[in-house]
Amino acid sequence: MTSSPPAPARTALPDHPRGGAATWYDVLDVGPSAHVDELRTAYERSLALVEGRTLGGYFLLDPLAIDGARADIEAAWAVLSDVERRASYDRAIGLPASSLFPTPAPLAPSTASTTTATTAPSTIPARLPQSPSLKFLAPVLDDSTPTTPPTTPPTTPPTTSTLPTTARPSTLAMATSPPAFEAGFFALDGEVNGQVLKKLREARGLSLDELAELTKIRRPYLQAIEDQDLENLPARVYLRGFLTQIARALRVDRVRLAEGYVAFVARFGS
Amino acid sequence: MICQGTGGYTCVMSEKRAARIIAVGGGKGGVGKTLVSTNLAVAMAVRGQRTLLVDADLGGANAHTILGVPPPLATLSDLVERKANLDDVAVNTPFANLRFVSGALDNISAANPKHSAKMRLLRQLGRADGVDVVVLDLGAGTSFNTLDFFLIAHTSILVVLPEPTSVENAYRFLKAAFFRRLAAVEKAYGIADILEAARSQRNELGVHTPADLLAAIEKKNPDVGRQVRAQMSRFEPCLLLNQALPAAAGGTQGEDDGTVARDMASACRRFLGVPARVLGVLPEDEAVRRAVRARKPLAAIAPDAPIKRALDGVADRLLAELGAAEAAA
Ligand SMILES: Nc1ncnc2c1ncn2[C@@H]1O[C@H](COP(=O)(O)OP(=O)(O)O)[C@@H](O)[C@H]1O
Ligand SMILES: [Mg+2]
């Protein structure tokens, strides 16, 4: 699961693809049971394809068509990478409820998280629930999501090897799905560089490893993004998608963060 | 018997059993269309299919050289102009089950024979006595001749190289084929007005790709839209990636070159309104040059070469599909 807040204030997602595709799944060319890792790959490949950055997309689309296709791909990813949005979209198009993504609260083992758990450090369950800043950032959690069962263990043992991995998704989901929080906390007005991203992350009480777990982006990439380490930055085609994920996890304006950082790198790199 | 090509063109067969037509195109010269069609025809013949290889590359007929036969005196033109019948123009080859027809259509007055003439030609080829499979080697470019043969075939193979120029031309070719096909559907369904409306409002409707156009037609008139979509989706070209290198040997962007074909098929499905699929990946192989120099098919020169084995795989897959299609018919 990719934990992205529903964020009602900025939700301007269309109900269906604007282009020729019938469903968001078709936009990414994946099956309706696609796992979130598969979705991420498809999303990144799709962007690279329509932007003509992979050979198979060379001169496929003209500039106007590229814009339209990109918008659909971004929207498809925004809907399908979000457990709740995806579940309600699945219902809307008449797909049977997915066992992968039980709703409303992902209590069952989530394969999405377990397969990528290699990037997750053992400290996550121990630290996350205790993070005071996260509690602060999630003030409305209790009254806004009354149906969410209390999944956070009151006392988390420090040795996490004994913790079932299944505790992770729900823990993270709780910690990061407060619907009320909005981007205003950080205006993101100035330059968006690695330092700014690092400060943002720390203000959210997240370690790099926790951010890696939340975004499903490998830690070395996150490190390179914060360090402005051009050599080791993800390929440009993936960078924007990664930044979008980071913005979602940090709950700041996605476009501003992604475009800001890309622009910064462009200046910084030349 | 009614047979339906992948292009959805209907032709009435008078024989009990119609030959399956396989067209090999690519939009670009030098991508390996002749290599593929010739060696595929040999592979089909070896598999017991009575095969007719037709060199339909009007400008650059050279399949005879790859096959190692003298260029036939009578050509497709004579067939189209009814100066000869099939048995006059189809010459025997050194290979059992394989006959060959030379393509030279250049003495046809207008560069484009009428659609009806082409249909008649295909019909003639398809119902010839003792022909199970017709393999068409098409020319480069997007002339109506080439597009029509590609669209009429039961199986349309598009040969692509992992090179920008080839990918670009392949997309151009597929878009041209799409619109050629759409024009035929438009005529058959009398939906010019709907299409025109969708076209003239392309900006308001956000129509940027062929797939968008299909969606816009459906929005204008769901019934017609569904039928048009069904008709259009009968055109299911197969992508065959040629001269592929493995990732280790300099494949595309550190990936296996096969990903190019998969990406392209996916792009066709999503944006071109064309349900393309990947038929196979053929390796770059020095055996090709040896065979071309010897003016013999791969089977005769390099029976164990990787490219030969890959082409055998393609032939087996196609036969299995054709067999299945026949069983269903
Ligand atoms: N898989 C391959 N490995 C090596 N060379 C190839 C391969 N495919 C094609 N070639 C080379 O490309 C040339 C052009 O192929 P050809 O079949 O004549 O293309 P087309 O008919 O599309 O114009 C061949 O003569 C051959 O030298
Ligand atoms: Mg040729």
mmCIF file of all heavy atoms in Angstrom, chain B residues 273-319:
data_model
loop_
_atom_site.group_PDB
_atom_site.id
_atom_site.type_symbol
_atom_site.label_atom_id
_atom_site.label_comp_id
_atom_site.label_asym_id
_atom_site.label_seq_id
_atom_site.Cartn_x
_atom_site.Cartn_y
_atom_site.Cartn_z
ATOM 1 N N GLY B 273 -5.300 2.835 -30.688
ATOM 2 C CA GLY B 273 -6.542 2.106 -30.901
ATOM 3 C C GLY B 273 -6.319 0.832 -31.692
ATOM 4 O O GLY B 273 -7.211 0.337 -32.368
ATOM 5 N N VAL B 274 -5.117 0.310 -31.620
ATOM 6 C CA VAL B 274 -4.749 -0.878 -32.380
ATOM 7 C C VAL B 274 -4.258 -1.950 -31.404
ATOM 8 O O VAL B 274 -3.246 -1.767 -30.742
ATOM 9 C CB VAL B 274 -3.611 -0.544 -33.380
ATOM 10 C CG1 VAL B 274 -3.078 -1.809 -34.017
ATOM 11 C CG2 VAL B 274 -4.091 0.430 -34.435
ATOM 12 N N PRO B 275 -4.996 -3.048 -31.288
ATOM 13 C CA PRO B 275 -4.584 -4.076 -30.338
ATOM 14 C C PRO B 275 -3.412 -4.902 -30.854
ATOM 15 O O PRO B 275 -3.561 -6.062 -31.218
ATOM 16 C CB PRO B 275 -5.843 -4.927 -30.161
ATOM 17 C CG PRO B 275 -6.622 -4.720 -31.407
ATOM 18 C CD PRO B 275 -6.277 -3.368 -31.948
ATOM 19 N N ALA B 276 -2.251 -4.277 -30.868
ATOM 20 C CA ALA B 276 -1.064 -4.977 -31.366
ATOM 21 C C ALA B 276 -0.530 -5.927 -30.305
ATOM 22 O O ALA B 276 -0.830 -5.797 -29.133
ATOM 23 C CB ALA B 276 0.009 -3.965 -31.738
ATOM 24 N N ARG B 277 0.248 -6.904 -30.754
ATOM 25 C CA ARG B 277 0.888 -7.804 -29.795
ATOM 26 C C ARG B 277 2.276 -8.158 -30.309
ATOM 27 O O ARG B 277 2.600 -7.928 -31.479
ATOM 28 C CB ARG B 277 0.055 -9.067 -29.587
ATOM 29 C CG ARG B 277 -0.033 -9.898 -30.834
ATOM 30 C CD ARG B 277 -1.189 -10.878 -30.765
ATOM 31 N NE ARG B 277 -1.369 -11.498 -32.056
ATOM 32 C CZ ARG B 277 -0.782 -12.639 -32.420
ATOM 33 N NH1 ARG B 277 -0.002 -13.287 -31.590
ATOM 34 N NH2 ARG B 277 -0.971 -13.139 -33.615
ATOM 35 N N VAL B 278 3.073 -8.712 -29.431
ATOM 36 C CA VAL B 278 4.444 -9.066 -29.805
ATOM 37 C C VAL B 278 4.461 -10.503 -30.312
ATOM 38 O O VAL B 278 4.034 -11.414 -29.621
ATOM 39 C CB VAL B 278 5.401 -8.923 -28.602
ATOM 40 C CG1 VAL B 278 6.813 -9.305 -29.016
ATOM 41 C CG2 VAL B 278 5.354 -7.509 -28.053
ATOM 42 N N LEU B 279 4.928 -10.675 -31.537
ATOM 43 C CA LEU B 279 4.996 -12.018 -32.105
ATOM 44 C C LEU B 279 6.306 -12.688 -31.729
ATOM 45 O O LEU B 279 6.363 -13.904 -31.537
ATOM 46 C CB LEU B 279 4.869 -11.928 -33.631
ATOM 47 C CG LEU B 279 4.931 -13.239 -34.396
ATOM 48 C CD1 LEU B 279 3.800 -14.168 -33.986
ATOM 49 C CD2 LEU B 279 4.873 -12.985 -35.900
ATOM 50 N N GLY B 280 7.368 -11.919 -31.642
ATOM 51 C CA GLY B 280 8.645 -12.530 -31.291
ATOM 52 C C GLY B 280 9.788 -11.548 -31.399
ATOM 53 O O GLY B 280 9.595 -10.390 -31.785
ATOM 54 N N VAL B 281 10.937 -12.028 -31.040
ATOM 55 C CA VAL B 281 12.154 -11.217 -31.087
ATOM 56 C C VAL B 281 13.212 -12.023 -31.835
ATOM 57 O O VAL B 281 13.484 -13.166 -31.483
ATOM 58 C CB VAL B 281 12.636 -10.885 -29.657
ATOM 59 C CG1 VAL B 281 13.969 -10.149 -29.708
ATOM 60 C CG2 VAL B 281 11.595 -10.058 -28.919
ATOM 61 N N LEU B 282 13.768 -11.433 -32.896
ATOM 62 C CA LEU B 282 14.790 -12.122 -33.677
ATOM 63 C C LEU B 282 16.153 -11.514 -33.377
ATOM 64 O O LEU B 282 16.303 -10.292 -33.400
ATOM 65 C CB LEU B 282 14.498 -11.985 -35.180
ATOM 66 C CG LEU B 282 13.113 -12.426 -35.654
ATOM 67 C CD1 LEU B 282 12.963 -12.155 -37.142
ATOM 68 C CD2 LEU B 282 12.911 -13.918 -35.363
ATOM 69 N N PRO B 283 17.128 -12.343 -33.112
ATOM 70 C CA PRO B 283 18.441 -11.794 -32.755
ATOM 71 C C PRO B 283 19.207 -11.289 -33.971
ATOM 72 O O PRO B 283 18.975 -11.736 -35.099
ATOM 73 C CB PRO B 283 19.148 -13.007 -32.145
ATOM 74 C CG PRO B 283 18.553 -14.175 -32.857
ATOM 75 C CD PRO B 283 17.110 -13.813 -33.112
ATOM 76 N N GLU B 284 20.068 -10.355 -33.737
ATOM 77 C CA GLU B 284 21.077 -9.990 -34.727
ATOM 78 C C GLU B 284 21.969 -11.224 -34.901
ATOM 79 O O GLU B 284 22.354 -11.851 -33.925
ATOM 80 C CB GLU B 284 21.899 -8.812 -34.164
ATOM 81 C CG GLU B 284 23.191 -8.525 -34.872
ATOM 82 C CD GLU B 284 22.995 -7.606 -36.056
ATOM 83 O OE1 GLU B 284 22.015 -6.844 -36.049
ATOM 84 O OE2 GLU B 284 23.820 -7.664 -36.973
ATOM 85 N N ASP B 285 22.230 -11.602 -36.145
ATOM 86 C CA ASP B 285 22.967 -12.853 -36.355
ATOM 87 C C ASP B 285 23.781 -12.749 -37.639
ATOM 88 O O ASP B 285 23.240 -12.431 -38.701
ATOM 89 C CB ASP B 285 21.960 -14.005 -36.439
ATOM 90 C CG ASP B 285 22.631 -15.372 -36.379
ATOM 91 O OD1 ASP B 285 23.834 -15.464 -36.719
ATOM 92 O OD2 ASP B 285 21.950 -16.336 -35.999
ATOM 93 N N GLU B 286 25.064 -13.071 -37.525
ATOM 94 C CA GLU B 286 25.912 -12.968 -38.717
ATOM 95 C C GLU B 286 25.520 -13.999 -39.766
ATOM 96 O O GLU B 286 25.881 -13.870 -40.937
ATOM 97 C CB GLU B 286 27.388 -13.088 -38.341
ATOM 98 C CG GLU B 286 27.774 -14.308 -37.481
ATOM 99 C CD GLU B 286 27.914 -15.581 -38.285
ATOM 100 O OE1 GLU B 286 28.380 -15.495 -39.435
ATOM 101 O OE2 GLU B 286 27.535 -16.657 -37.768
ATOM 102 N N ALA B 287 24.775 -15.011 -39.374
ATOM 103 C CA ALA B 287 24.349 -16.026 -40.332
ATOM 104 C C ALA B 287 23.503 -15.409 -41.448
ATOM 105 O O ALA B 287 23.477 -15.927 -42.564
ATOM 106 C CB ALA B 287 23.562 -17.119 -39.619
ATOM 107 N N VAL B 288 22.839 -14.283 -41.116
ATOM 108 C CA VAL B 288 21.995 -13.637 -42.117
ATOM 109 C C VAL B 288 22.850 -13.205 -43.312
ATOM 110 O O VAL B 288 22.524 -13.469 -44.470
ATOM 111 C CB VAL B 288 21.261 -12.414 -41.524
ATOM 112 C CG1 VAL B 288 20.529 -11.649 -42.610
ATOM 113 C CG2 VAL B 288 20.297 -12.856 -40.432
ATOM 114 N N ARG B 289 23.947 -12.574 -42.996
ATOM 115 C CA ARG B 289 24.804 -12.091 -44.085
ATOM 116 C C ARG B 289 25.333 -13.258 -44.919
ATOM 117 O O ARG B 289 25.362 -13.187 -46.156
ATOM 118 C CB ARG B 289 25.969 -11.289 -43.503
ATOM 119 C CG ARG B 289 26.893 -10.756 -44.567
ATOM 120 C CD ARG B 289 27.910 -9.817 -44.004
ATOM 121 N NE ARG B 289 27.278 -8.594 -43.513
ATOM 122 C CZ ARG B 289 27.948 -7.458 -43.361
ATOM 123 N NH1 ARG B 289 29.232 -7.398 -43.636
ATOM 124 N NH2 ARG B 289 27.345 -6.388 -42.925
ATOM 125 N N ARG B 290 25.728 -14.339 -44.237
ATOM 126 C CA ARG B 290 26.232 -15.510 -44.979
ATOM 127 C C ARG B 290 25.161 -16.031 -45.923
ATOM 128 O O ARG B 290 25.437 -16.338 -47.086
ATOM 129 C CB ARG B 290 26.621 -16.611 -43.984
ATOM 130 C CG ARG B 290 28.062 -16.481 -43.478
ATOM 131 C CD ARG B 290 28.483 -17.757 -42.775
ATOM 132 N NE ARG B 290 27.865 -17.863 -41.466
ATOM 133 C CZ ARG B 290 27.331 -18.977 -40.975
ATOM 134 N NH1 ARG B 290 27.297 -20.079 -41.719
ATOM 135 N NH2 ARG B 290 26.802 -18.994 -39.774
ATOM 136 N N ALA B 291 23.930 -16.106 -45.416
ATOM 137 C CA ALA B 291 22.843 -16.646 -46.228
ATOM 138 C C ALA B 291 22.546 -15.732 -47.417
ATOM 139 O O ALA B 291 22.366 -16.190 -48.543
ATOM 140 C CB ALA B 291 21.596 -16.847 -45.374
ATOM 141 N N VAL B 292 22.530 -14.400 -47.141
ATOM 142 C CA VAL B 292 22.243 -13.463 -48.225
ATOM 143 C C VAL B 292 23.322 -13.559 -49.297
ATOM 144 O O VAL B 292 23.033 -13.598 -50.494
ATOM 145 C CB VAL B 292 22.143 -12.012 -47.683
ATOM 146 C CG1 VAL B 292 22.031 -11.017 -48.833
ATOM 147 C CG2 VAL B 292 20.954 -11.864 -46.746
ATOM 148 N N ARG B 293 24.578 -13.643 -48.851
ATOM 149 C CA ARG B 293 25.674 -13.745 -49.821
ATOM 150 C C ARG B 293 25.571 -15.008 -50.651
ATOM 151 O O ARG B 293 25.880 -15.013 -51.838
ATOM 152 C CB ARG B 293 27.011 -13.747 -49.072
ATOM 153 C CG ARG B 293 27.324 -12.403 -48.479
ATOM 154 C CD ARG B 293 28.786 -12.067 -48.693
ATOM 155 N NE ARG B 293 29.038 -10.714 -48.213
ATOM 156 C CZ ARG B 293 29.954 -10.425 -47.305
ATOM 157 N NH1 ARG B 293 30.726 -11.374 -46.815
ATOM 158 N NH2 ARG B 293 30.124 -9.191 -46.929
ATOM 159 N N ALA B 294 25.161 -16.092 -49.996
ATOM 160 C CA ALA B 294 25.050 -17.363 -50.710
ATOM 161 C C ALA B 294 23.765 -17.424 -51.526
ATOM 162 O O ALA B 294 23.542 -18.376 -52.264
ATOM 163 C CB ALA B 294 25.097 -18.517 -49.715
ATOM 164 N N ARG B 295 22.928 -16.401 -51.389
ATOM 165 C CA ARG B 295 21.620 -16.336 -52.050
ATOM 166 C C ARG B 295 20.814 -17.605 -51.772
ATOM 167 O O ARG B 295 20.265 -18.240 -52.680
ATOM 168 C CB ARG B 295 21.794 -16.108 -53.550
ATOM 169 C CG ARG B 295 22.026 -14.638 -53.874
ATOM 170 C CD ARG B 295 22.354 -14.406 -55.311
ATOM 171 N NE ARG B 295 23.761 -14.730 -55.558
ATOM 172 C CZ ARG B 295 24.251 -15.210 -56.697
ATOM 173 N NH1 ARG B 295 23.427 -15.457 -57.680
ATOM 174 N NH2 ARG B 295 25.524 -15.442 -56.847
ATOM 175 N N LYS B 296 20.776 -17.945 -50.506
ATOM 176 C CA LYS B 296 19.999 -19.118 -50.093
ATOM 177 C C LYS B 296 19.289 -18.805 -48.785
ATOM 178 O O LYS B 296 19.752 -17.960 -48.006
ATOM 179 C CB LYS B 296 20.940 -20.310 -49.874
ATOM 180 C CG LYS B 296 21.562 -20.853 -51.127
ATOM 181 C CD LYS B 296 21.775 -22.367 -51.006
ATOM 182 C CE LYS B 296 21.993 -23.011 -52.350
ATOM 183 N NZ LYS B 296 23.358 -22.759 -52.871
ATOM 184 N N PRO B 297 18.156 -19.469 -48.529
ATOM 185 C CA PRO B 297 17.477 -19.262 -47.240
ATOM 186 C C PRO B 297 18.344 -19.782 -46.086
ATOM 187 O O PRO B 297 19.244 -20.592 -46.292
ATOM 188 C CB PRO B 297 16.201 -20.095 -47.367
ATOM 189 C CG PRO B 297 16.093 -20.482 -48.795
ATOM 190 C CD PRO B 297 17.449 -20.412 -49.391
ATOM 191 N N LEU B 298 18.036 -19.316 -44.896
ATOM 192 C CA LEU B 298 18.801 -19.717 -43.715
ATOM 193 C C LEU B 298 18.814 -21.233 -43.545
ATOM 194 O O LEU B 298 19.823 -21.817 -43.149
ATOM 195 C CB LEU B 298 18.214 -19.057 -42.459
ATOM 196 C CG LEU B 298 18.456 -17.559 -42.325
ATOM 197 C CD1 LEU B 298 17.491 -16.947 -41.317
ATOM 198 C CD2 LEU B 298 19.905 -17.286 -41.917
ATOM 199 N N ALA B 299 17.692 -21.866 -43.862
ATOM 200 C CA ALA B 299 17.583 -23.309 -43.660
ATOM 201 C C ALA B 299 18.679 -24.054 -44.416
ATOM 202 O O ALA B 299 19.153 -25.099 -43.973
ATOM 203 C CB ALA B 299 16.205 -23.794 -44.104
ATOM 204 N N ALA B 300 19.101 -23.493 -45.555
ATOM 205 C CA ALA B 300 20.085 -24.173 -46.383
ATOM 206 C C ALA B 300 21.516 -23.852 -45.967
ATOM 207 O O ALA B 300 22.434 -24.606 -46.258
ATOM 208 C CB ALA B 300 19.874 -23.792 -47.857
ATOM 209 N N ILE B 301 21.713 -22.751 -45.296
ATOM 210 C CA ILE B 301 23.066 -22.286 -44.993
ATOM 211 C C ILE B 301 23.409 -22.427 -43.515
ATOM 212 O O ILE B 301 24.505 -22.837 -43.147
ATOM 213 C CB ILE B 301 23.218 -20.797 -45.406
ATOM 214 C CG1 ILE B 301 23.135 -20.668 -46.915
ATOM 215 C CG2 ILE B 301 24.519 -20.198 -44.888
ATOM 216 C CD1 ILE B 301 24.275 -21.351 -47.656
ATOM 217 N N ALA B 302 22.458 -22.045 -42.674
ATOM 218 C CA ALA B 302 22.729 -22.017 -41.233
ATOM 219 C C ALA B 302 21.544 -22.582 -40.465
ATOM 220 O O ALA B 302 20.863 -21.864 -39.747
ATOM 221 C CB ALA B 302 23.031 -20.592 -40.793
ATOM 222 N N PRO B 303 21.306 -23.904 -40.641
ATOM 223 C CA PRO B 303 20.088 -24.480 -40.045
ATOM 224 C C PRO B 303 20.039 -24.378 -38.525
ATOM 225 O O PRO B 303 18.955 -24.452 -37.944
ATOM 226 C CB PRO B 303 20.126 -25.944 -40.495
ATOM 227 C CG PRO B 303 21.538 -26.195 -40.920
ATOM 228 C CD PRO B 303 22.084 -24.893 -41.394
ATOM 229 N N ASP B 304 21.189 -24.197 -37.885
ATOM 230 C CA ASP B 304 21.172 -24.149 -36.421
ATOM 231 C C ASP B 304 21.423 -22.749 -35.874
ATOM 232 O O ASP B 304 21.586 -22.570 -34.668
ATOM 233 C CB ASP B 304 22.230 -25.104 -35.848
ATOM 234 C CG ASP B 304 21.877 -26.552 -36.138
ATOM 235 O OD1 ASP B 304 20.675 -26.877 -36.023
ATOM 236 O OD2 ASP B 304 22.782 -27.329 -36.502
ATOM 237 N N ALA B 305 21.470 -21.772 -36.765
ATOM 238 C CA ALA B 305 21.760 -20.410 -36.305
ATOM 239 C C ALA B 305 20.642 -19.911 -35.388
ATOM 240 O O ALA B 305 19.482 -20.286 -35.562
ATOM 241 C CB ALA B 305 21.903 -19.484 -37.506
ATOM 242 N N PRO B 306 20.979 -19.063 -34.439
ATOM 243 C CA PRO B 306 19.956 -18.521 -33.521
ATOM 244 C C PRO B 306 18.798 -17.855 -34.264
ATOM 245 O O PRO B 306 17.631 -18.053 -33.909
ATOM 246 C CB PRO B 306 20.736 -17.488 -32.701
ATOM 247 C CG PRO B 306 22.153 -17.965 -32.732
ATOM 248 C CD PRO B 306 22.335 -18.644 -34.060
ATOM 249 N N ILE B 307 19.113 -17.110 -35.326
ATOM 250 C CA ILE B 307 18.039 -16.428 -36.056
ATOM 251 C C ILE B 307 17.110 -17.443 -36.709
ATOM 252 O O ILE B 307 15.897 -17.262 -36.733
ATOM 253 C CB ILE B 307 18.623 -15.461 -37.124
ATOM 254 C CG1 ILE B 307 17.525 -14.811 -37.950
ATOM 255 C CG2 ILE B 307 19.547 -16.178 -38.088
ATOM 256 C CD1 ILE B 307 17.181 -13.449 -37.580
ATOM 257 N N LYS B 308 17.694 -18.529 -37.198
ATOM 258 C CA LYS B 308 16.872 -19.562 -37.836
ATOM 259 C C LYS B 308 15.955 -20.219 -36.811
ATOM 260 O O LYS B 308 14.763 -20.446 -37.064
ATOM 261 C CB LYS B 308 17.796 -20.593 -38.505
ATOM 262 C CG LYS B 308 17.163 -21.933 -38.822
ATOM 263 C CD LYS B 308 16.201 -21.870 -39.991
ATOM 264 C CE LYS B 308 15.824 -23.254 -40.524
ATOM 265 N NZ LYS B 308 15.436 -24.232 -39.516
ATOM 266 N N ARG B 309 16.504 -20.498 -35.642
ATOM 267 C CA ARG B 309 15.679 -21.122 -34.604
ATOM 268 C C ARG B 309 14.572 -20.167 -34.148
ATOM 269 O O ARG B 309 13.440 -20.577 -33.916
ATOM 270 C CB ARG B 309 16.553 -21.535 -33.419
ATOM 271 C CG ARG B 309 17.448 -22.743 -33.740
ATOM 272 C CD ARG B 309 17.864 -23.469 -32.474
ATOM 273 N NE ARG B 309 18.589 -22.582 -31.572
ATOM 274 C CZ ARG B 309 19.923 -22.415 -31.588
ATOM 275 N NH1 ARG B 309 20.638 -23.092 -32.466
ATOM 276 N NH2 ARG B 309 20.503 -21.601 -30.743
ATOM 277 N N ALA B 310 14.911 -18.884 -34.059
ATOM 278 C CA ALA B 310 13.895 -17.904 -33.637
ATOM 279 C C ALA B 310 12.771 -17.832 -34.675
ATOM 280 O O ALA B 310 11.590 -17.777 -34.328
ATOM 281 C CB ALA B 310 14.538 -16.535 -33.440
ATOM 282 N N LEU B 311 13.146 -17.867 -35.948
ATOM 283 C CA LEU B 311 12.130 -17.824 -37.005
ATOM 284 C C LEU B 311 11.290 -19.097 -37.005
ATOM 285 O O LEU B 311 10.085 -19.053 -37.275
ATOM 286 C CB LEU B 311 12.808 -17.625 -38.366
ATOM 287 C CG LEU B 311 13.133 -16.166 -38.702
ATOM 288 C CD1 LEU B 311 14.153 -16.079 -39.831
ATOM 289 C CD2 LEU B 311 11.865 -15.413 -39.075
ATOM 290 N N ASP B 312 11.918 -20.226 -36.710
ATOM 291 C CA ASP B 312 11.156 -21.473 -36.585
ATOM 292 C C ASP B 312 10.101 -21.348 -35.486
ATOM 293 O O ASP B 312 8.972 -21.815 -35.633
ATOM 294 C CB ASP B 312 12.098 -22.640 -36.260
ATOM 295 C CG ASP B 312 12.812 -23.144 -37.513
ATOM 296 O OD1 ASP B 312 12.387 -22.760 -38.628
ATOM 297 O OD2 ASP B 312 13.792 -23.897 -37.380
ATOM 298 N N GLY B 313 10.520 -20.717 -34.396
ATOM 299 C CA GLY B 313 9.583 -20.514 -33.289
ATOM 300 C C GLY B 313 8.392 -19.680 -33.734
ATOM 301 O O GLY B 313 7.239 -19.975 -33.401
ATOM 302 N N VAL B 314 8.677 -18.639 -34.502
ATOM 303 C CA VAL B 314 7.606 -17.781 -35.008
ATOM 304 C C VAL B 314 6.680 -18.587 -35.914
ATOM 305 O O VAL B 314 5.448 -18.496 -35.810
ATOM 306 C CB VAL B 314 8.200 -16.576 -35.776
ATOM 307 C CG1 VAL B 314 7.112 -15.837 -36.546
ATOM 308 C CG2 VAL B 314 8.920 -15.637 -34.813
ATOM 309 N N ALA B 315 7.269 -19.406 -36.788
ATOM 310 C CA ALA B 315 6.455 -20.219 -37.702
ATOM 311 C C ALA B 315 5.556 -21.169 -36.913
ATOM 312 O O ALA B 315 4.373 -21.323 -37.230
ATOM 313 C CB ALA B 315 7.366 -21.003 -38.652
ATOM 314 N N ASP B 316 6.116 -21.792 -35.884
ATOM 315 C CA ASP B 316 5.317 -22.720 -35.067
ATOM 316 C C ASP B 316 4.152 -22.005 -34.398
ATOM 317 O O ASP B 316 3.030 -22.505 -34.381
ATOM 318 C CB ASP B 316 6.205 -23.391 -34.009
ATOM 319 C CG ASP B 316 7.139 -24.420 -34.627
ATOM 320 O OD1 ASP B 316 6.779 -24.963 -35.698
ATOM 321 O OD2 ASP B 316 8.223 -24.672 -34.065
ATOM 322 N N ARG B 317 4.458 -20.818 -33.857
ATOM 323 C CA ARG B 317 3.387 -20.064 -33.187
ATOM 324 C C ARG B 317 2.291 -19.692 -34.174
ATOM 325 O O ARG B 317 1.107 -19.825 -33.884
ATOM 326 C CB ARG B 317 3.963 -18.794 -32.553
ATOM 327 C CG ARG B 317 4.388 -18.991 -31.097
ATOM 328 C CD ARG B 317 4.549 -17.675 -30.383
ATOM 329 N NE ARG B 317 5.590 -16.820 -30.935
ATOM 330 C CZ ARG B 317 6.891 -17.050 -30.820
ATOM 331 N NH1 ARG B 317 7.314 -18.112 -30.188
ATOM 332 N NH2 ARG B 317 7.782 -16.224 -31.341
ATOM 333 N N LEU B 318 2.710 -19.221 -35.347
ATOM 334 C CA LEU B 318 1.712 -18.811 -36.340
ATOM 335 C C LEU B 318 0.862 -19.986 -36.778
ATOM 336 O O LEU B 318 -0.364 -19.868 -36.901
ATOM 337 C CB LEU B 318 2.410 -18.190 -37.554
ATOM 338 C CG LEU B 318 2.964 -16.784 -37.336
ATOM 339 C CD1 LEU B 318 3.695 -16.301 -38.588
ATOM 340 C CD2 LEU B 318 1.832 -15.818 -36.990
ATOM 341 N N LEU B 319 1.497 -21.129 -36.997
ATOM 342 C CA LEU B 319 0.740 -22.302 -37.431
ATOM 343 C C LEU B 319 -0.252 -22.724 -36.366
ATOM 344 O O LEU B 319 -1.392 -23.074 -36.680
ATOM 345 C CB LEU B 319 1.693 -23.456 -37.746
ATOM 346 C CG LEU B 319 2.244 -23.461 -39.169
ATOM 347 C CD1 LEU B 319 3.066 -24.719 -39.410
ATOM 348 C CD2 LEU B 319 1.100 -23.363 -40.175
#
